[in-house]
Amino acid sequence: MEKRERIFEGKTKIVYRTDEPDLIIQYFKDDTTAFNSAKKGIIVNKGIFNNKISARIFEFLGTENIPTHFERRLSDREMLIKRVEILPIEVIVRNKAAGSICRNLGIREGAKLTPPVLEFTYKKDDLNDPLINESHIRALKLASDQEVEVIKRYTQRINELMERFFADLNLELIDFKLEFGRYKGRILLADEISPDTCRLWEMGTGERLDKDRFRHDMGDIEEAYQEVLSRVEK
Ligand code: UDP
């Protein structure tokens, strides 16, 4: 497998073609954004942490029969993935309230949400990724009804699996964001799963081990990502 030219550069990743048309390389940068890019910065070595953490989680989910785009990790910052057509939808699961749901609905941070809340947002930077529902997805033709059903089924299972996975590492999975893509008529879990896309709280103390340390200038950001990686690699 040979690395070819760059085809896309996003806020946190760069994508390269390979000599294999169905496979691409996802390179993880240290660049970090929050609040729809209103806040920008660098978390030193974040690309390495997130690549390794994501690879480990995709491997775990793969063994639990969740189809993912992940093929294998190639280097510290690169993973080989299937070239999917990313759906313009972000899928958010909330087990406890934090972030935007507290602001939007006036819920206390840390309030348990039973059953977990499922949200969809429309991936559109210029609109600040607005919250949408299944009726918007249908009317805007962002995904078929059948695809939405598959995504909801996978997402519920992923939440159960990841909650247990992190609980074993003494981390509480507060919320997270998923992206899915189309590949040869199937839906695959795509993008990344990392402290950039999950809120992870230390069990007992509630210490934040995720991007909220960057969002709210809490310090020790690299240490938090390193800590998550160390536990995930155990
Ligand atoms: N999230 C993400 N990318 C986004 C928006 C949210 O990965 O573009 C993740 C975020 O890290 C958190 C969860 O989805 O784990 C819920 O995010 P929320 O809507 O609370 O985001 P906030 O408004 O706090 O940035």
Side-chain angles (χ1 to χ4, degrees):
M1 200 275 310
E2 234 177 78
K3 185 173 171 181
R4 295 270 167 88
E5 77 278 12
R6 187 173 80 169
I7 45 182
F8 172 79
E9 176 156 3
K11 287 181 274 189
T12 61
K13 295 189 281 294
I14 307 174
V15 175
Y16 296 89
R17 208 186 296 282
T18 70
D19 56 352
E20 178 67 57
D22 289 339
L23 297 176
I24 54 178
I25 292 170
Q26 169 160 273
Y27 173 99
F28 288 74
K29 305 195 283 187
D30 288 347
D31 303 59
T32 311
T33 63
F35 309 115
N36 293 301
S37 299
K39 181 174 174 135
K40 292 194 173 90
I42 295 248
I43 299 176
V44 176
N45 290 333
K46 184 192 69 152
I48 301 173
F49 302 136
N50 283 359
N51 183 35
K52 292 184 174 178
I53 293 166
S54 290
R56 181 69 198 88
I57 295 173
F58 283 135
E59 272 165 8
F60 163 67
L61 294 174
T63 63
E64 297 288 345
N65 299 317
I66 301 292
T68 82
H69 70 161
F70 180 75
E71 288 282 318
R72 63 179 188 274
R73 190 163 68 77
L74 296 174
S75 66
D76 272 2
R77 289 177 182 272
E78 292 170 317
M79 60 168 66
L80 186 67
I81 57 175
K82 293 192 176 75
R83 183 173 194 166
V84 302
E85 179 197 346
I86 292 281
L87 298 175
I89 299 169
E90 296 193 340
V91 182
I92 293 171
V93 178
R94 301 178 185 275
N95 295 307
K96 282 191 173 175
S100 64
I101 196 170
C102 297
R103 296 193 296 274
N104 293 339
L105 301 184
I107 305 176
R108 166 183 67 81
E109 183 177 65
K112 180 118 183 87
L113 300 168
T114 317
V117 170
L118 175 69
E119 292 176 355
F120 298 107
T121 69
Y122 183 26
K123 253 169 82 89
K124 247 195 179 296
D125 279 340
D126 47 338
L127 299 176
N128 289 339
D129 296 349
L131 205 55
I132 54 173
N133 62 32
E134 287 180 48
S135 150
H136 294 99
I137 294 177
R138 198 171 298 126
L140 274 60
K141 307 206 176 349
L142 305 181
S144 70
D145 288 1
Q146 199 191 349
E147 287 171 333
V148 171
E149 287 312 310
V150 170
I151 287 170
K152 288 197 307 191
R153 186 155 47 78
Y154 287 163
T155 298
Q156 192 190 343
R157 179 79 183 126
I158 292 166
N159 187 36
E160 291 164 5
L161 290 165
M162 293 217 310
E163 253 198 317
R164 230 183 307 135
F165 177 89
F166 283 116
D168 287 344
L169 308 176
N170 207 45
L171 293 170
E172 189 173 10
L173 180 61
I174 302 299
D175 63 24
F176 59 95
K177 183 265 300 179
L178 301 176
E179 294 187 30
F180 292 89
R182 294 188 184 113
Y183 183 80
K184 300 185 179 181
R186 296 174 68 207
I187 290 290
L188 303 184
L189 176 64
D191 195 50
E192 68 174 286
I193 298 180
S194 71
D196 271 12
T197 64
C198 302
R199 283 194 172 92
L200 299 167
W201 295 3
E202 180 82 51
M203 290 210 177
T205 67
E207 190 190 348
R208 286 9 179 206
L209 291 170
D210 56 52
K211 201 168 88 173
D212 271 351
R213 301 202 75 84
F214 170 81
R215 289 188 184 94
H216 306 299
D217 301 313
M218 296 163 80
D220 291 335
I221 310 174
E222 287 83 6
E223 288 78 0
Y225 280 65
Q226 172 67 70
E227 181 59 29
V228 174
L229 174 61
S230 306
R231 294 190 198 187
V232 160
E233 283 188 334
K234 261 194 206 141

